[in-house]
Amino acid sequence: MAIRPVIAVKPVSEQSFTDLLAPLVPHAYRLACAMLHDAPAAEDVVQEASLIAWRKLNKLHDHSKLRAWFLGIVANECRNAKRRRWVSLVNLGLPSVLSVPSSEENSVKRADLRRALLQLGHDDRLVVVLYFYLDMPLIDIAMVVGASADAARARLYRAIHRLRPGLAIEEALR
Amino acid sequence: MSLRAEIRAAIDDVTPPAPALQQKVVAYVMAGERDRVVRLHRPRNRWTRSFRGPMTLVAAALLVVLIGGLVLGGRLLRDMNAPPQGINQAQLKSLESRPVHLPTVQPGAECPTSPLTDLSAHGPQAFLLGEGPVYSTRLAYRNETTNWGTWYVLSLTVDTTTASGPILIRGEDLQTHAQVLFARAPLSPGYGFPAGTVVRTDVLGGVTTQLYPEAVLDLTRPYEGTKKGDWPVYKSTMGYPKAATGCIGLQVDGAGFTEHLVIN
């Protein structure tokens, strides 16, 4: 009986990884921070997601979709990290939010908005972050969340309505 | 400020710069499997990760033990609370329907304890109180004194050549008419089974215990200390309130007889 290696395939070289995935790491980090609001946890997520992406890179035939595909893996790892959140809460205590100097009023407003974002479901929060924070077009967002563009748009509108119930969609999308 | 700008500002607050992250990720991904564990971002992952497998097994084992404990504990509790199988409930109802008629002892009067009977041929105790078929020892062994009252172990010997079926015990203090109550003695075969409606609770041996107005002797389950060939002994945890004088009258009802025992 053949023994299966722990790491099944190493299809691309270090140069390939550096060329293809490394440039996306800052985007992945921003996405993970936006999803988790916890920078150290976000770094962990990016590392794990990068490893997963590197191992599966040979299965991605259309490299034009690389960014959406990779961010999809990051988003999935964020969801997994959220499930282990109680560990983070116990070990990390307060996030690094308070280290940023700002006026008290603005700081409170931003904290409220972050709280509202965290109260959104994972997929709703993901489309909001991808659209507003990473400036991704809806067609790419659809690829990340694994839905149609229409479904992604509907999800975005619904999430905006939850964040700002009184705000018109046209104004919110500016 | 637009919603986009607000969201960016809010998220930027929790996104500190990570200039070295790109290099760290490259190094992490390209490291060998053994090195990779060491290179993980946070130290907590290093030790928790190595424990995840074994701890999962430990957690699963604990879960199995917990479920098993709940099942066994539930069965034990059910068995403890269930009426003894050897007791015919119809017969017990019939005995309970008999009224209690115990004499009254005037304050200051001597307690008219039951006569002693020589039972040396049927057990270790030479003389016991009563005329049969149920006999009692004196209340010599005080078990516990609580805020409510005083608790004894009532030890009854039954002439099973003449008595059969369940035997019902009810009692009161003959001077104050304070009701005698019975408590369950968990996991003790041969102890009278408390019956009737719970009257109150008391703390016995540090455990809050329900108190009953009756005790039922299941003749199929004698006290485990009964020697072979002796008349069987049955024990009950019996108490009376502080206001009582200790002159206790017991009405013993069985198939075909009603007996009054007076003990102190």
Short mmCIF file of all heavy atoms in Angstrom, two decimals, chain B residues 60-73:
data_model
loop_
_atom_site.label_atom_id
_atom_site.label_comp_id
_atom_site.label_asym_id
_atom_site.label_seq_id
_atom_site.Cartn_x
_atom_site.Cartn_y
_atom_site.Cartn_z
N ALA B 60 -13.74 14.15 24.02
CA ALA B 60 -14.74 13.14 23.62
C ALA B 60 -14.93 12.13 24.74
O ALA B 60 -16.07 11.74 25.06
CB ALA B 60 -14.28 12.45 22.34
N ALA B 61 -13.82 11.71 25.36
CA ALA B 61 -13.93 10.74 26.46
C ALA B 61 -14.71 11.32 27.62
O ALA B 61 -15.57 10.66 28.22
CB ALA B 61 -12.53 10.31 26.92
N LEU B 62 -14.43 12.59 27.95
CA LEU B 62 -15.16 13.24 29.04
C LEU B 62 -16.64 13.33 28.73
O LEU B 62 -17.48 13.16 29.61
CB LEU B 62 -14.59 14.64 29.28
CG LEU B 62 -13.26 14.69 30.04
CD1 LEU B 62 -12.73 16.11 30.10
CD2 LEU B 62 -13.43 14.14 31.45
N LEU B 63 -16.95 13.61 27.46
CA LEU B 63 -18.35 13.71 27.06
C LEU B 63 -19.06 12.37 27.25
O LEU B 63 -20.17 12.31 27.77
CB LEU B 63 -18.43 14.15 25.59
CG LEU B 63 -19.83 14.48 25.07
CD1 LEU B 63 -20.41 15.69 25.82
CD2 LEU B 63 -19.80 14.76 23.59
N VAL B 64 -18.36 11.29 26.84
CA VAL B 64 -18.94 9.95 27.00
C VAL B 64 -19.18 9.66 28.48
O VAL B 64 -20.24 9.17 28.88
CB VAL B 64 -18.02 8.89 26.36
CG1 VAL B 64 -18.45 7.50 26.76
CG2 VAL B 64 -18.02 9.05 24.85
N VAL B 65 -18.16 9.99 29.31
CA VAL B 65 -18.29 9.74 30.75
C VAL B 65 -19.44 10.56 31.33
O VAL B 65 -20.23 10.07 32.14
CB VAL B 65 -16.96 10.09 31.47
CG1 VAL B 65 -17.15 10.11 32.98
CG2 VAL B 65 -15.88 9.09 31.08
N LEU B 66 -19.54 11.81 30.87
CA LEU B 66 -20.61 12.69 31.38
C LEU B 66 -21.98 12.13 31.03
O LEU B 66 -22.87 12.06 31.88
CB LEU B 66 -20.43 14.09 30.79
CG LEU B 66 -21.47 15.12 31.20
CD1 LEU B 66 -21.36 15.40 32.70
CD2 LEU B 66 -21.32 16.42 30.42
N ILE B 67 -22.13 11.73 29.76
CA ILE B 67 -23.43 11.19 29.34
C ILE B 67 -23.74 9.92 30.12
O ILE B 67 -24.85 9.71 30.61
CB ILE B 67 -23.42 10.93 27.81
CG1 ILE B 67 -23.38 12.27 27.07
CG2 ILE B 67 -24.64 10.12 27.39
CD1 ILE B 67 -23.16 12.15 25.59
N GLY B 68 -22.72 9.05 30.24
CA GLY B 68 -22.92 7.81 31.00
C GLY B 68 -23.30 8.10 32.44
O GLY B 68 -24.20 7.47 33.00
N GLY B 69 -22.64 9.10 33.04
CA GLY B 69 -22.94 9.47 34.41
C GLY B 69 -24.36 9.98 34.55
O GLY B 69 -25.06 9.65 35.50
N LEU B 70 -24.79 10.78 33.56
CA LEU B 70 -26.15 11.30 33.62
C LEU B 70 -27.17 10.17 33.52
O LEU B 70 -28.17 10.15 34.24
CB LEU B 70 -26.37 12.30 32.47
CG LEU B 70 -25.70 13.67 32.66
CD1 LEU B 70 -25.85 14.51 31.40
CD2 LEU B 70 -26.32 14.41 33.84
N VAL B 71 -26.89 9.23 32.60
CA VAL B 71 -27.82 8.11 32.44
C VAL B 71 -27.88 7.27 33.71
O VAL B 71 -28.96 6.98 34.24
CB VAL B 71 -27.38 7.23 31.24
CG1 VAL B 71 -28.18 5.94 31.21
CG2 VAL B 71 -27.56 8.00 29.93
N LEU B 72 -26.68 6.91 34.23
CA LEU B 72 -26.65 6.08 35.44
C LEU B 72 -27.24 6.83 36.62
O LEU B 72 -28.00 6.27 37.42
CB LEU B 72 -25.21 5.66 35.75
CG LEU B 72 -24.62 4.63 34.78
CD1 LEU B 72 -23.15 4.37 35.13
CD2 LEU B 72 -25.39 3.32 34.83
N GLY B 73 -26.88 8.12 36.74
CA GLY B 73 -27.40 8.93 37.83
C GLY B 73 -28.91 9.05 37.75
O GLY B 73 -29.61 8.96 38.76
#
